[in-house]
Amino acid sequence: MIEDKTPQRTSLSQLGEFGLISHLTQNFKINQPSTLTGIGDDAAVLDFKDKKVVISTDLLVEGVHFDLAYMPLKHLGYKAVVVNLSDICAMNAKPTQITVSIAVSNRFPLEALEELYDGIALASKIYDVDVIGGDTTSSQKGLIISITAIGEAKEEELVYRNGANETDLLVVTGDIGAAYMGLQVLEREKQVFQVNPNNQPDLDAYTYLIERQLKPEARKDIKELLEALDLKPTSMIDVSDGLSSEIIHLCKNSSKGCNLYEDKLPLDPQLINACEEFNVDSTTIAINGGEDYELLFTIKMDDYDKIKANPNFTVIGHMTPESDGIHLITRANTKIPLKARGWNALKNE
Amino acid sequence: MIEDKTPQRTSLSQLGEFGLISHLTQNFKINQPSTLTGIGDDAAVLDFKDKKVVISTDLLVEGVHFDLAYMPLKHLGYKAVVVNLSDICAMNAKPTQITVSIAVSNRFPLEALEELYDGIALASKIYDVDVIGGDTTSSQKGLIISITAIGEAKEEELVYRNGANETDLLVVTGDIGAAYMGLQVLEREKQVFQVNPNNQPDLDAYTYLIERQLKPEARKDIKELLEALDLKPTSMIDVSDGLSSEIIHLCKNSSKGCNLYEDKLPLDPQLINACEEFNVDSTTIAINGGEDYELLFTIKMDDYDKIKANPNFTVIGHMTPESDGIHLITRANTKIPLKARGWNALKNE
């Protein structure tokens, strides 16, 4: 839970910029047939032939998006990659390459960056994406990670945010809210640690929640699952800022309304227990907590049979005419307008 | 010369993250046929058909890469784009798209970001590239800009760093060293301003140097020029870190040596005058100063006739066997090993 416990500390300035880049990237292998040239020239060269190219980018800032007090650097590197790949998956495309740029203050020794890059390398390996470029520089304060993810898809495979129809079903993969509660658990432990550094936390009851926060996964498997089911979503987005915020995006982009059913929300038992312990409403957490990196999509009603009883998917609502608005239907059958209270990087300053 | 003199100051938190992104990007138009979908979905979608895709990325950090005391935000936005496009030009490819991510501390009002985006929009327009995505978030300190540039080229057009032959000629476009001396002039004026804010600087003698520093251009025109001359370089790189550093990159990647001739270096008269005034050696500035964003390339000896007397190109040396090493041949005809003393972001901490 500590940023850097390694006794060895090599100053970054000993290596210089080019030395650092080649040291950190020396073990990156090229696997994707679309990568013609990776790191080492002015730019990487890719060849997607008849496929479409999908590109997304994210900037992660220490103190805004992550706290190194409880986020180990290897996990951070892994998560930084996953967060970006999730956007590619949300287009129903296959992630193929990433570029990784970092800015670090000189409080980070080389060994800390090696940890970070170990996580990046692990994610690249598991998700089979090539690291094809990047930039390494110093920052005035803290660590900043900028990743651009590139993917490929056939034109007919791509799913946008704007294709939902009025009677489509709203489906989410996996379960939601756990990553946010994992963050609450970690924040509490950080405070306990600050009061009593000798306290040994017992986190057994929260292992799933913490894993969802520290080591989330992008749903790269969903594209293949949908193909196997011969099912193409009409619209899709990933759940990064919070379910309500993402639903509103799909509705606005598709000019549709939506009814979301509280009793359908897929919640892990650990989440329910933790919400009771923290005395917070699990529905609030599930619809406003972010960072689940599950996929949210709409399908035609006729396709319902293809996913029913499939443990990967939960139907949580249905689309409506735009004029009906966007609502949460509670367990008590009351209709509440859904608002985006998702995580907002700029309001959190 | 002041970061923000506008009386209007709109707090970023009033808009929120999504509001800010859509406000800043609302005027970006899509022009490139390869851009199918730009901003507004999880990822942009591009189609390069039979062309190869070229990708490069750069991270610019306030206090490391730029100083807002003399860098107006509009110029900074323009330069941030140009720096990245230069890498695409250095592959002999055509820039087509960029993504722009920024992290800002809350000391920046909305109006400051609008200035920055005005510069980004201007560069996008002049260089005919589409802004297809990005991320906007807060930083703990200062302004951070991360840009990924995307370009396209036919396979046979691409020029890498590793293709130089033993007897090839070494050619540079434009002139070099001016951007670095422009920075020295601006640094001096900043110090004068700090001592006496009422001092009115007379910068007429340095207009070219300052323009090269504050508003550099990427040599997008060179690809077309070379095509018109039916000339394909054997290797190419852009001059961002300094001529000596780039020559060493070309030599190492091509496993060749090089002789660079001091008396051939193309220097602007303003540069020569400023070097005399600042009592610095113009050759040292020309080979170690960075940020010229000219192109450095090698051509076969037989192609010399195609570029001789062309004002865009200067032959500054020739390649040699690797065992001969990399040398500067001075005006006094002495041979000095060339070392990379280029700007190093990590050593400058």
Side-chain angles (χ1 to χ4, degrees):
Chain A
M1 307 271 279
I2 300 295
E3 178 190 332
D4 182 34
K5 275 182 172 168
T6 54
Q8 215 188 333
R9 291 179 70 91
T10 311
S11 156
L12 294 183
S13 57
Q14 287 174 242
L15 279 152
E17 186 180 349
F18 298 119
L20 179 63
I21 292 173
S22 66
H23 178 80
L24 293 174
T25 60
Q26 61 192 346
N27 294 323
F28 287 135
K29 303 263 182 306
I30 295 300
N31 286 314
Q32 287 291 333
S34 55
T35 309
L36 302 188
T37 312
I39 293 166
D41 216 304
D42 294 279
V45 181
L46 312 176
D47 183 5
F48 293 96
K49 303 191 190 294
D50 57 336
K51 298 234 175 103
K52 306 303 171 213
V53 185
V54 173
I55 296 195
S56 183
T57 192
D58 257 318
L59 198 58
L60 299 176
V61 179
E62 183 181 350
V64 179
H65 300 91
F66 56 88
D67 183 338
L68 291 176
Y70 47 73
M71 181 58 121
L73 281 160
K74 188 171 175 180
H75 284 74
L76 177 62
Y78 190 92
K79 183 170 176 174
V81 174
V82 162
V83 166
N84 275 274
L85 299 185
S86 181
D87 280 320
I88 303 299
C89 296
M91 302 298 291
N92 202 34
K94 180 184 146 201
T96 46
Q97 289 92 4
I98 55 171
T99 67
V100 180
S101 294
I102 57 170
V104 275
S105 73
N106 53 12
R107 83 169 205 267
F108 289 85
L110 174 63
E111 289 72 20
L113 289 192
E114 286 175 338
E115 283 282 305
L116 180 74
Y117 269 78
D118 278 351
I120 291 167
L122 181 63
S124 308
K125 195 179 166 193
I126 287 176
Y127 286 92
D128 193 19
V129 295
D130 296 340
V131 180
I132 56 156
D135 197 5
T136 310
T137 186
S138 57
S139 76
Q140 288 188 299
K141 192 176 178 192
L143 172 64
I144 296 125
I145 308 172
S146 174
I147 292 187
T148 297
I150 302 143
E152 61 178 33
K154 292 181 200 151
E155 180 152 30
E156 62 273 21
E157 292 172 335
L158 286 165
V159 178
Y160 297 86
R161 292 181 180 178
N162 64 1
N165 306 298
E166 265 180 27
T167 55
D168 283 353
L169 299 175
L170 184 68
V171 183
V172 72
T173 62
D175 58 77
I176 50 173
Y180 181 83
M181 276 315 288
L183 182 62
Q184 302 315 305
V185 170
L186 290 166
E187 289 276 5
R188 185 175 67 177
E189 291 310 318
K190 179 184 170 185
Q191 284 167 19
V192 170
F193 179 82
Q194 283 166 345
V195 175
N196 176 10
N198 294 317
N199 181 64
Q200 287 297 322
D202 179 7
L203 299 173
D204 283 355
Y206 318 109
T207 48
Y208 179 69
L209 306 180
I210 292 170
E211 191 180 343
R212 292 286 277 180
Q213 172 59 224
L214 293 186
K215 193 167 173 289
E217 303 291 351
R219 297 304 304 256
K220 197 192 173 189
D221 57 323
I222 297 298
K223 182 173 191 285
E224 289 155 32
L225 264 170
L226 291 172
E227 269 168 29
L229 295 168
D230 189 29
L231 174 62
K232 188 185 172 187
T234 52
S235 69
M236 186 151 67
I237 192 169
D238 72 323
V239 183
S240 52
D241 291 320
L243 186 68
S244 61
S245 170
E246 314 302 355
I247 289 175
I248 291 168
H249 278 307
L250 279 191
C251 286
K252 288 201 171 163
N253 278 267
S254 297
S255 303
K256 297 291 172 296
C258 179
N259 285 333
L260 170 70
Y261 293 88
E262 184 182 16
D263 62 347
K264 303 291 184 195
L265 294 170
L267 309 180
D268 187 86
Q270 275 197 9
L271 174 74
I272 295 168
N273 290 339
C275 285
E276 276 175 22
E277 186 190 330
F278 279 70
N279 200 23
V280 291
D281 176 43
S282 61
T283 300
T284 306
I285 301 302
I287 66 175
N288 295 317
E291 302 197 280
D292 294 313
Y293 301 107
E294 297 293 341
L295 294 176
L296 175 75
F297 58 91
T298 53
I299 61 169
K300 290 185 186 138
M301 276 218 306
D302 294 347
D303 284 329
Y304 174 63
D305 284 346
K306 294 180 183 170
I307 61 155
K308 78 174 176 192
N310 187 321
N312 291 289
F313 305 114
T314 308
V315 177
I316 55 173
H318 61 83
M319 306 309 279
T320 61
E322 186 172 21
S323 55
D324 287 5
I326 307 168
H327 293 94
L328 174 73
I329 314 296
T330 67
R331 285 193 189 85
N333 208 25
T334 56
K335 207 169 173 175
I336 303 171
L338 201 63
K339 284 189 182 146
R341 289 205 181 78
W343 188 82
N344 186 322
L346 289 162
K347 280 193 178 152
N348 280 359
E349 280 188 4
Chain B
M1 308 269 278
I2 299 293
E3 178 189 333
D4 181 35
K5 275 183 172 170
T6 54
Q8 216 187 335
R9 291 181 69 93
T10 310
S11 156
L12 294 183
S13 57
Q14 285 174 240
L15 279 153
E17 186 181 349
F18 298 121
L20 178 63
I21 292 174
S22 66
H23 177 81
L24 292 174
T25 60
Q26 62 193 346
N27 293 324
F28 288 134
K29 303 262 183 307
I30 294 300
N31 286 316
Q32 288 291 332
S34 56
T35 309
L36 302 187
T37 313
I39 293 166
D41 216 302
D42 294 278
V45 181
L46 313 175
D47 183 4
F48 292 95
K49 303 195 192 293
D50 58 336
K51 297 234 177 101
K52 306 302 171 213
V53 185
V54 173
I55 296 196
S56 183
T57 192
D58 258 318
L59 198 59
L60 299 176
V61 179
E62 182 182 350
V64 179
H65 300 91
F66 56 88
D67 184 338
L68 291 175
Y70 47 72
M71 180 58 120
L73 281 159
K74 188 171 175 181
H75 284 74
L76 177 62
Y78 190 90
K79 183 170 176 176
V81 174
V82 162
V83 167
N84 276 274
L85 300 184
S86 181
D87 280 319
I88 303 299
C89 297
M91 302 297 293
N92 202 34
K94 181 186 148 200
T96 46
Q97 289 93 5
I98 54 170
T99 67
V100 180
S101 294
I102 56 168
V104 275
S105 74
N106 53 12
R107 85 168 204 267
F108 289 85
L110 174 64
E111 289 72 19
L113 289 193
E114 286 175 340
E115 283 282 305
L116 180 73
Y117 269 78
D118 278 352
I120 291 167
L122 182 63
S124 308
K125 194 178 167 194
I126 287 177
Y127 286 92
D128 193 20
V129 294
D130 296 340
V131 181
I132 55 158
D135 197 5
T136 310
T137 186
S138 56
S139 76
Q140 288 188 300
K141 190 176 179 192
L143 172 63
I144 296 125
I145 308 173
S146 174
I147 293 188
T148 297
I150 302 143
E152 62 179 32
K154 292 182 201 150
E155 179 152 30
E156 62 273 21
E157 292 172 335
L158 286 166
V159 178
Y160 297 87
R161 292 181 179 177
N162 65 2
N165 306 299
E166 265 179 28
T167 56
D168 283 355
L169 299 174
L170 184 67
V171 183
V172 72
T173 62
D175 59 76
I176 50 173
Y180 181 83
M181 277 315 287
L183 182 62
Q184 302 314 306
V185 171
L186 290 165
E187 289 277 5
R188 186 176 67 178
E189 291 310 319
K190 179 184 168 186
Q191 283 167 19
V192 170
F193 180 82
Q194 283 167 346
V195 175
N196 175 12
N198 294 319
N199 181 64
Q200 287 295 322
D202 179 7
L203 298 173
D204 283 356
Y206 319 107
T207 49
Y208 178 68
L209 306 180
I210 292 169
E211 190 179 344
R212 292 285 278 180
Q213 172 58 225
L214 294 186
K215 193 167 174 288
E217 303 291 352
R219 296 305 304 256
K220 196 190 174 189
D221 57 323
I222 296 297
K223 183 173 191 285
E224 288 154 34
L225 265 170
L226 291 172
E227 268 167 30
L229 296 168
D230 189 28
L231 175 61
K232 188 186 172 187
T234 51
S235 70
M236 187 150 66
I237 192 170
D238 71 324
V239 183
S240 53
D241 291 319
L243 187 67
S244 60
S245 169
E246 314 303 356
I247 289 175
I248 291 168
H249 278 308
L250 281 192
C251 287
K252 288 199 173 166
N253 279 269
S254 297
S255 302
K256 295 291 173 296
C258 179
N259 285 334
L260 171 69
Y261 292 88
E262 183 182 16
D263 63 346
K264 303 292 184 195
L265 294 171
L267 309 181
D268 187 85
Q270 274 197 9
L271 174 73
I272 294 167
N273 290 339
C275 285
E276 276 175 22
E277 187 190 331
F278 280 71
N279 200 23
V280 290
D281 176 44
S282 61
T283 300
T284 305
I285 301 302
I287 65 175
N288 296 316
E291 302 196 281
D292 294 313
Y293 302 107
E294 296 293 343
L295 294 177
L296 175 74
F297 57 90
T298 54
I299 61 168
K300 290 186 185 136
M301 277 217 309
D302 294 348
D303 284 329
Y304 175 63
D305 283 347
K306 294 179 183 171
I307 62 155
K308 77 174 176 189
N310 187 319
N312 291 288
F313 305 114
T314 308
V315 176
I316 55 173
H318 61 83
M319 306 309 278
T320 61
E322 187 173 22
S323 55
D324 287 4
I326 307 167
H327 293 95
L328 175 73
I329 314 295
T330 67
R331 284 193 189 85
N333 207 27
T334 54
K335 205 168 174 177
I336 303 172
L338 201 63
K339 286 190 180 144
R341 290 207 181 77
W343 188 83
N344 185 323
L346 289 163
K347 279 194 179 149
N348 279 1
E349 281 188 359

